[in-house]
Amino acid sequence: MSRAFAYVILGGGVAAGYAALELVRHGDGVSPGELCIISDEAVAPYERPALSKGYLLPRGAARLPAFHTCVGANDELLTEQWYKDHGIELVLATKVVSADVRRKTLLTATGETISYKTLIIATGARALKLEEFGVTRSDATNVCYLRSLEDADKMVGVMRSCHGGNAVVIGGGYIGMECAAALVANEIKVAMVFPRKHCLDRLFTPKIAEFYENYYAAKGVTFIKESRVTSFETSSDGKVTAAILRDGRRLPADMVVVGIGARANAELFDGQLAMEKGGIKVNGRMQTSDAAVYAVGDVAAFPVALLGGDVRRYEHVDCARRTARRAVEAIMERSDGAEERGEKGFDYLPFFYSRVFGLSWQFYGDNVGEPVHFGDFSAPAGGRPKFGACWVSGGLVAGVFLEGGSREENEAVASAVRCRARIGDVAAELESRGLAFADQESRRKLTRRCYGLAAGGDKPTYAWHATVGVAAAVSIAAFAYWYGWQAPYVVKREF
């Protein structure tokens, strides 16, 4: 059996939904029967961030169809009916076992051959498993991962069975931190085990990490750092009862949650497409080494214009959304005969965020250079903390982290990073006076605004009445809001 389509999207995650919406919206859109989405999941594309946030809540939990794409960006809700209405073929619960790029065909596990004229690879990434690291008895029934709806359903069921019990969370990154918060909300005691010196060490500075670790500890979470789980004790019914650390310590466990990283699903195209950074290498148009194939989301390694064309691969929802849109734009430019652009890199501002308990942080840019901390790192009684850090590299703003910012403040921070503001040696002033200083100085008149970068001008320099005012803008100042120029990145997140 075989079928042929003009466009095939391989993968059913966030990027697939956003690519489908863009294809429908562009110009006259795709005609009924031209587009097919192949996914190994049994449901239409959905917003994955909901799984580690709203889906795990004990009350008022998020459930489909409420978080199908593309509601995470305050856009249309793409239910299965939406795909039917637009003549899009959803091939769900179907695994593709091989791909032939030269012949433009995909072979499914059921033996069906699906051919394409243009392919968008949106296969995402899969969770690393403990057995890959030699951890024994890690296939127990109460060991949970979180990457898919099926994973989330299993975790919800296991949590309900061990209310008031003990959970061991393995990993101190995104998934570990967000799942730990969900476990606490479900009244389960949590011990977190990871090999690093502090949580989220790829992004957090030790000072930032200390705040979150203390906040979690106040919620009852125990941190066991610079350690690893090497094996499990299990009961006769195949459930974990304890986690054994490499130093021999034994942690009681009614359930285990594993968040130790992910690996891009790129194996189908090994030897057929160029690879880099553990994923599929693309240009600034999301086009692979084969002109008819594009890659988006977690699996795509692309040059970032803001970083001088440095190739990066990001495993985050914002990247999935934006690369999907860029790929469709490029595909339609090609079909329209428009001039090709983007060889110098994709105009993307790296962005990450998380919400746990009553906290909410956002990060923009790249955490390279020297970090300068600002704000109040204490959690006021009955209030929200507000603090952050600015990374300065070569005298320019490289990245900014902000906890507790308003929408206007986050937008202004994004603008400052995108403009790569030039700053002076003002770290001491910023650290000592923090946000109050930033607020005061940012209200002073700007003598130069951020412009001209697209035309290849010099790096922008901000000057205030006081020389230290530049760092204020970098840290938190809502200068974009106060001075009326439009922030290029408007943050809209609900999941």
Side-chain angles (χ1 to χ4, degrees), residues 334-356:
R334 187 182 67 177
S335 65
D336 293 342
E339 180 184 354
E340 293 193 1
R341 303 188 302 274
E343 294 305 320
K344 293 183 180 179
F346 177 37
D347 183 20
Y348 176 65
L349 174 64
F351 167 67
F352 305 91
Y353 77 97
S354 183
R355 290 194 300 274
V356 293

Side-chain angles (χ1 to χ4, degrees), residues 4-325:
F5 298 90
Y7 307 97
V8 171
I9 300 172
L10 177 57
V14 173
Y18 281 80
L21 181 60
E22 290 302 309
L23 282 166
V24 167
R25 283 180 171 172
H26 195 284
D28 295 331
V30 294
S31 300
E34 283 192 324
L35 172 59
C36 168
I37 297 177
I38 309 172
S39 173
D40 59 4
E41 293 201 57
V43 297
Y46 56 88
E47 303 280 358
R48 284 195 200 280
L51 299 182
S52 61
K53 299 176 177 67
Y55 204 86
L56 302 180
L57 294 176
R59 291 171 294 279
R63 291 292 182 267
L64 289 176
F67 60 93
H68 279 299
T69 55
C70 298
V71 295
N74 294 343
D75 212 320
E76 285 191 63
L77 177 68
L78 311 188
T79 63
E80 289 192 26
Q81 187 61 47
W82 181 90
Y83 293 95
K84 290 179 182 178
D85 291 344
H86 290 83
I88 299 171
E89 187 77 17
L90 281 179
V91 182
L92 302 177
T94 299
K95 183 177 179 62
V96 170
V97 295
S98 68
D100 190 324
V101 171
R102 185 175 62 84
R103 291 180 174 152
K104 298 186 177 180
T105 59
L106 304 170
L107 178 66
T108 72
T110 61
E112 180 180 15
T113 297
I114 296 177
S115 62
Y116 60 84
K117 292 181 180 178
T118 300
L119 174 66
I120 300 176
I121 303 170
T123 47
R126 64 185 180 276
L128 294 176
K129 300 297 181 70
L130 288 175
E131 49 261 38
E132 297 178 52
F133 301 92
V135 179
T136 60
R137 301 177 182 175
S138 56
D139 58 348
T141 57
N142 56 342
V143 174
C144 302
Y145 296 83
L146 190 61
R147 192 74 192 180
S148 66
L149 187 66
E150 183 179 3
D151 292 338
D153 283 334
K154 175 183 176 179
M155 187 170 168
V156 168
V158 174
M159 285 194 300
R160 288 174 178 169
S161 70
C162 61
H163 181 269
N166 296 290
V168 173
V169 174
I170 302 175
Y174 255 98
I175 293 299
M177 294 294 283
E178 294 200 344
C179 286
L183 290 163
V184 170
N186 282 272
E187 300 182 14
I188 297 171
K189 295 182 283 293
V190 178
M192 293 190 71
V193 182
F194 49 88
R196 306 296 184 182
K197 292 183 178 181
H198 60 77
C199 66
L200 273 165
D201 69 318
R202 291 185 181 180
L203 175 60
F204 288 0
T205 65
K207 185 178 178 68
I208 292 173
E210 182 183 22
F211 168 84
Y212 290 101
E213 289 176 6
N214 288 341
Y215 196 98
Y216 272 60
K219 299 286 186 181
V221 176
T222 300
F223 286 89
I224 302 172
K225 296 178 280 188
E226 298 183 85
S227 187
R228 297 178 185 272
V229 171
T230 57
S231 64
F232 295 114
E233 291 179 2
T234 56
S235 60
S236 58
D237 60 356
K239 292 183 178 180
V240 168
T241 57
I244 308 303
L245 305 185
R246 64 183 175 189
D247 61 4
R249 278 182 290 174
R250 179 182 182 277
L251 303 178
D254 298 294
M255 68 178 294
V256 176
V257 177
V258 184
I260 55 175
R263 180 174 288 118
N265 294 316
E267 293 86 350
L268 281 174
F269 302 95
D270 278 342
Q272 301 187 79
L273 300 176
M275 300 285 169
E276 191 166 343
K277 304 288 186 182
I280 298 172
K281 183 180 181 180
V282 298
N283 59 21
R285 296 163 49 82
M286 303 299 122
Q287 191 174 41
T288 71
S289 53
D290 184 286
V293 181
Y294 296 74
V296 297
D298 293 3
V299 77
F302 60 91
V304 182
L306 185 68
L307 305 181
D310 189 28
V311 174
R312 299 290 179 92
R313 188 175 68 82
Y314 297 106
E315 295 172 0
H316 194 269
V317 64
D318 183 69
C319 179
R321 292 165 178 160
R322 295 185 185 277
T323 54
R325 291 167 176 156

Side-chain angles (χ1 to χ4, degrees), residues 406-419:
S406 67
R407 175 174 173 171
E408 290 80 7
E409 290 164 345
N410 286 320
E411 289 176 3
V413 160
S415 297
V417 176
R418 188 174 180 82
C419 290

